[in-house]
Amino acid sequence: MVETGSVERLVSGLHRAQALRFGDFVLKSGLASPIYIDLRVIVSHPPLLSQVADLLFQTAKNARIKYDSVCGVPYTALPLATIICSSNQIPMLIRRKEAKNYGTKRLVEGIVNPGETCLIIEDVVTSGSSILETVDVLQKEGLTITDAIVLLDREQGGKHRLEERGIRLHSVCTLSTMLEILQQQQKVDSEMVEKVKKFILENVFKPAEQNSAAPIKQMCKEISFSARAQLPGIHPVAARLLKLMEKKQTNLCLSADVTDSKELLQLASSLGPSICILKTHIDILNDFTLEVIKELRTLADQHDFLIFEDRKFADIGNTVKHQYEGGVFKIASWAHIVNAHVVPGYGVVKGLKEVGLPLQRGCLLIAEMSSQGSLATGDYTKSAVQMAEENSDFVFGFISGSRVSNKPEFLHLTPGVQMQAGGDNLGQKYLSPQEVISKRGSDIIIVGRGILSASNHLEEAEMYRKAAWESYLSRLTVHTQD
């Protein structure tokens, strides 16, 4: 055990450095929290940084852990691992979050000796996801991982989850102990302490079923994607989509609005593992051929995503039937999903259904749009919902800016999503993934320019995937029972 006096001095120092703050905060996941912990600030307080590093090392020493090297979880734990290794002459390894696209292209820097044991250092543990990501990378290099040392255990299920994977977690301090010390030091009142403790209890991560890598939470009113996939009468396309979303831990749809078929296939190949849907505008391809579609379907099968042709059908039933089934593009033969405006009335759905229903295709109705001045509001949106409910054997969801139906059988996909809210000069309005999923109740974010304009498409796509998935998990948390 670490000396009580040392922990008390640590907690006091962290509070003084504003690494611990109390109030009303919105976390990265979109969850409202009464406490905010940001240990990144300690790099600007050298004595505190050294104190933390020393306590982490002493914790490992007291636990009599045997190890050959140390790896800090990127990025906050990297300076801590550096100090520990430099002060105690221990070999250090650095895990990259992404491989370089030049040089050795390695994910782990340093001398790796397969079979040796590496000790993991982390600043804060909540669900244990960050540590497990590092464990997976190091184990692929042939290293053995048995233990992890953390400064602060938030007591939200991370320790148990790591134990499920055979990793022993040793903490310098728990959040409960930290709260008690701060209350004794009169730095926080009893009301706030109880508020934080209640928050911890209501947001405990449980081990996921079927060896899923993501934490799950017990639900009350909100139903998980996997549970929704099992609902009686669920559309087959919706069921398949919900299952692959849970399996891949992604609710990201890529809007691949490109004009070159080679670029389209490259995006499908490189980003396929990160997405649940690839959305196309097939009629803007300058070099469209059915061979391109054949390759795209192969990639969809390989990476387990669905293809959504954003055709926005908006004509009378007989016309859309021919547009869907025939012509140059033969959309019904390859697109799992299409969409339609409800302006023409029920005929548009009836015409599409005659073609798509025998093929087990699915349709989304445009209930709301993300462009400024859109007329898809009010009664128009209500009519779209009614039309969907009356044609649920073919329609399984909506294109909308928020949840427009409370029936869990229907999915909601929201376009106009970027990390920073705002808009462009052509009337497009952008919302963040957290706003769309956590607050507005949508299921899937549709992202185009936010990813395609980035220099590293995969890195950007992963950032959106994680933000959207964490927002989904936080939405489940809001409805968690004690």
Side-chain angles (χ1 to χ4, degrees):
M1 293 286 291
V2 175
E3 186 182 297
T4 303
S6 298
V7 175
E8 291 176 348
R9 287 191 294 273
L10 166 70
V11 172
S12 181
L14 291 173
H15 185 267
R16 190 165 50 250
Q18 293 192 316
L20 310 172
R21 286 186 280 172
F22 299 88
D24 295 311
F25 303 96
V26 177
L27 304 180
K28 181 180 178 183
S29 63
L31 192 65
S33 170
I35 184 170
Y36 184 65
I37 302 169
D38 182 11
L39 296 184
R40 290 169 295 187
V41 300
I42 67 175
V43 297
S44 297
H45 302 271
L48 183 59
L49 184 66
S50 296
Q51 182 186 6
V52 170
D54 183 59
L55 287 172
L56 289 166
F57 178 71
Q58 287 301 322
T59 300
K61 189 174 181 181
N62 293 344
R64 298 183 178 181
I65 302 168
K66 294 181 180 180
Y67 54 96
D68 303 293
S69 59
V70 168
C71 180
V73 175
Y75 288 106
T76 308
L78 287 179
L80 296 170
T82 302
I83 293 173
I84 290 170
C85 292
S86 177
S87 301
N88 299 281
Q89 298 299 294
I90 302 168
M92 177 178 166
L93 298 175
I94 298 175
R95 177 214 149 197
R96 290 183 171 274
K97 278 199 171 184
E98 60 285 318
K100 300 181 293 182
N101 57 7
Y102 57 88
T104 61
K105 300 182 180 180
R106 296 180 62 183
L107 278 171
V108 180
E109 301 292 353
I111 298 175
V112 177
N113 296 314
E116 289 189 346
T117 300
C118 182
L119 174 67
I120 292 180
I121 301 293
E122 177 63 304
D123 60 334
V124 181
V125 165
T126 304
S127 69
S129 295
S130 295
I131 287 179
L132 289 177
E133 286 178 7
T134 300
V135 168
D136 289 340
V137 171
L138 296 175
Q139 286 180 338
K140 286 178 182 176
E141 297 285 335
L143 293 167
T144 299
I145 314 297
T146 58
D147 298 84
I149 306 294
V150 63
L151 177 65
L152 177 63
D153 179 4
R154 289 184 59 124
E155 303 170 289
Q156 289 178 258
K159 183 173 183 177
H160 181 65
R161 187 161 172 245
L162 290 169
E163 287 174 352
E164 293 279 315
R165 289 282 301 273
I167 310 296
R168 293 182 292 267
L169 182 70
H170 312 267
S171 62
V172 173
C173 187
T174 63
L175 186 51
S176 295
T177 300
M178 191 170 282
L179 288 170
E180 291 172 8
I181 292 171
L182 289 171
Q183 187 176 3
Q184 290 170 5
Q185 296 175 348
Q186 297 184 334
K187 291 182 170 67
V188 62
D189 59 34
S190 58
E191 184 180 349
M192 179 57 73
V193 169
E194 291 307 311
K195 191 175 181 180
V196 175
K197 286 183 177 179
K198 184 174 183 292
F199 173 79
I200 295 171
L201 287 173
E202 291 179 348
N203 293 280
V204 175
F205 287 83
K206 307 281 185 184
E209 296 178 356
Q210 297 179 348
N211 299 320
S212 172
I216 61 172
K217 298 153 186 162
Q218 287 190 319
M219 297 153 292
C220 178
K221 298 175 185 177
E222 188 74 25
I223 306 175
S224 70
F225 293 151
S226 58
R228 287 166 68 182
Q230 304 301 322
L231 290 171
I234 189 82
H235 192 284
V237 172
R240 180 181 173 186
L241 179 56
L242 289 163
K243 288 175 183 176
L244 75 87
M245 287 161 65
E246 280 280 8
K247 176 185 173 184
K248 297 175 66 177
Q249 297 165 25
T250 178
N251 48 342
L252 169 64
C253 168
L254 172 68
S255 181
D257 299 339
V258 295
T259 58
D260 180 76
S261 60
K262 184 177 180 182
E263 184 178 0
L264 174 65
L265 295 173
Q266 286 176 337
L267 287 170
S269 177
S270 60
L271 304 187
S274 300
I275 64 175
C276 60
I277 299 173
L278 185 137
K279 184 176 78 70
T280 61
H281 276 298
I282 208 67
D283 56 357
I284 69 172
L285 281 182
N286 294 324
D287 53 349
F288 169 83
T289 65
L290 290 176
E291 187 61 30
V292 171
I293 294 303
K294 184 178 178 181
E295 291 184 48
L296 185 61
R297 280 299 299 260
T298 299
L299 289 168
D301 292 339
Q302 179 183 339
H303 296 301
D304 201 11
F305 62 80
L306 300 188
I307 302 172
F308 166 26
E309 168 54 19
D310 190 5
R311 180 63 177 79
K312 296 186 178 74
F313 291 103
D315 215 318
I316 62 173
N318 188 60
T319 300
V320 299
K321 178 180 176 181
H322 290 298
Q323 289 173 329
Y324 189 24
E325 185 177 36
V328 176
F329 302 114
K330 296 179 174 52
I331 296 169
S333 69
W334 53 269
H336 303 98
I337 305 166
V338 292
N339 58 353
H341 286 291
V342 299
V343 173
Y346 283 80
V348 67
V349 175
K350 185 178 179 181
L352 293 171
K353 184 159 67 169
E354 284 185 12
V355 176
L357 193 60
L359 298 172
Q360 287 201 317
R361 304 302 191 209
C363 181
L364 301 168
L365 295 184
I366 299 166
E368 295 174 332
M369 295 188 71
S370 58
S371 53
Q372 188 175 2
S374 168
L375 302 179
T377 59
D379 289 340
Y380 182 97
T381 301
K382 291 178 182 177
S383 297
V385 173
Q386 183 179 348
M387 197 178 295
E389 289 175 350
E390 293 176 5
N391 293 274
S392 60
D393 57 343
F394 181 58
V395 177
F396 71 92
F398 307 94
I399 300 295
S400 59
S402 60
R403 185 178 296 184
V404 297
S405 171
N406 286 323
K407 293 191 174 182
E409 294 87 350
F410 289 117
L411 276 75
H412 295 78
L413 288 74
T414 300
V417 177
Q418 287 200 4
M419 285 299 180
Q420 298 297 324
D424 66 13
N425 59 3
L426 294 177
Q428 175 67 288
K429 295 184 292 183
Y430 292 113
L431 297 170
S432 70
Q434 292 83 359
E435 172 73 17
V436 168
I437 304 296
S438 295
K439 297 181 181 180
R440 298 191 176 216
S442 190
D443 299 306
I444 297 170
I445 61 170
I446 302 175
V447 185
R449 279 178 279 185
I451 293 173
L452 300 184
S453 63
S455 57
N456 188 321
H457 293 158
L458 179 57
E459 182 177 326
E460 200 72 5
E462 273 297 288
M463 185 168 68
Y464 276 97
R465 182 192 67 79
K466 290 177 181 178
W469 190 255
E470 288 173 3
S471 296
Y472 156 66
L473 292 176
S474 76
R475 192 173 80 193
L476 297 184
T477 307
V478 171
H479 298 283
T480 299
Q481 292 179 319
D482 291 343

